[in-house]
Amino acid sequence: GENVEQHPSTLSVQEGDSAVIKCTYSDSASNYFPWYKQELGKRPQLIIDIRSNVGEKKDQRIAVTLNKTAKHFSLHITETQPEDSAVYFCAARTEGYSTLTFGKGTMLLVSP
Amino acid sequence: GAVVSQHPSRVICKSGTSVKIECRSLDFQATTMFWYRQFPKKSLMLMATSNEGSKATYEQGVEKDKFLINHASLTLSTLTVTSAHPEDSSFYICSATVAGGRRNTGELFFGEGSRLTVL
């Protein structure tokens, strides 16, 4: 089955800096890669996703890049703000299957 | 986006009792719902996949007699933790995808989660 590795497990940055979280996946058939943000005690919320037919997607301060050859994808947050502090999960899914495989999460702390 | 509602948000029970958690898709039909368990500061661990009108598919290591899942309609799935023990204390989250149609983007929508504490 699919295996998703996520790094780093914790990331501390100063407000205004950029943050990058990286994930690798094992199944070359995976074609859908969402990123979720989870604040403490709350439900995960989709913040951005990318499909295998594109290499990059951007939404304001958030961007995701995908390298299918290397089987890795990354989340980039620019101009970080304290409210960006949360746990971020990457995930991967193989076409034809509805189950998402999640990474272990990255706790991002943005200090004012 | 689509809305998934989960109840109760918090439940405290005595050891040996059973607890039922409901997961509802409010504005869409969900042929498939997923149940996750999340330990503090840990990732989402898939427990089982719930398909409407059929038996749930459990992940390896998850006791199906301990965690009973029922998906009786396209908008409701329930998880019952039977004979709960302190080690069952955790955050349980359900999720669902839209069943077909224009809204079927593949996105997974999560419920609010249920924090179970077994005394």
Side-chain angles (χ1 to χ4, degrees):
Chain A
E2 176 67 277
N3 182 47
V4 177
E5 298 285 338
Q6 184 173 347
H7 299 279
S9 56
T10 58
L11 179 59
S12 295
V13 300
Q14 290 291 123
E15 183 177 3
D17 288 349
S18 294
V20 180
I21 303 170
K22 299 181 179 181
C23 287
T24 60
Y25 60 99
S26 61
D27 192 340
S28 56
S30 290
N31 66 342
Y32 175 64
F33 309 92
W35 285 88
Y36 287 85
K37 175 184 179 182
Q38 186 179 27
E39 297 178 4
L40 186 65
K42 296 189 177 181
R43 76 181 91 191
Q45 299 271 16
L46 179 71
I47 56 171
I48 195 167
D49 57 11
I50 191 168
R51 296 181 187 276
S52 59
N53 57 345
V54 298
E56 184 174 358
K57 185 176 178 180
K58 190 173 182 180
D59 182 4
Q60 299 183 336
R61 297 187 296 110
I62 295 172
V64 57
T65 59
L66 171 65
N67 183 326
K68 283 208 69 180
T69 302
K71 289 189 284 188
H72 67 70
F73 55 112
S74 301
L75 177 71
H76 303 252
I77 306 174
T78 58
E79 301 172 28
T80 55
Q81 301 166 3
E83 49 265 38
D84 293 329
S85 297
V87 178
Y88 291 81
F89 293 99
C90 64
R93 185 172 69 202
T94 304
E95 184 172 10
Y97 293 88
S98 54
T99 303
L100 276 175
T101 300
F102 286 88
K104 295 191 175 192
T106 296
M107 181 175 291
L108 173 64
L109 178 61
V110 181
S111 303
Chain B
V3 178
V4 176
S5 178
Q6 188 175 338
H7 294 282
S9 59
R10 293 178 182 272
V11 57
I12 301 173
C13 70
K14 293 182 179 180
S15 184
T17 60
S18 295
V19 174
K20 179 184 284 188
I21 302 170
E22 292 188 346
C23 180
R24 294 180 184 274
S25 56
L26 297 185
D27 55 353
F28 68 100
Q29 294 183 331
T31 53
T32 304
M33 291 185 174
F34 306 91
W35 287 95
Y36 296 85
R37 184 173 181 175
Q38 188 175 35
F39 292 103
K41 300 183 179 179
K42 297 294 184 183
S43 189
L44 298 152
M45 182 189 80
L46 180 65
M47 298 174 65
T49 302
S50 168
N51 296 293
E52 186 265 338
S54 64
K55 292 183 178 180
T57 302
Y58 289 82
E59 295 299 304
Q60 190 173 9
V62 179
E63 300 175 60
K64 61 181 180 181
D65 295 329
K66 172 77 172 176
F67 300 99
L68 299 178
I69 292 173
N70 183 277
H71 194 155
S73 76
L74 285 172
T75 59
L76 174 64
S77 177
T78 60
L79 167 68
T80 301
V81 183
T82 62
S83 187
H85 291 283
E87 56 265 31
D88 298 325
S89 299
S90 191
F91 193 55
Y92 294 89
I93 310 179
C94 69
S95 67
T97 55
V98 177
R102 292 189 300 111
R103 299 180 72 188
N104 186 10
T105 62
E107 182 179 349
L108 202 62
F109 299 96
F110 286 88
E112 304 96 322
S114 299
R115 185 162 301 283
L116 170 64
T117 303
V118 184
L119 303 176

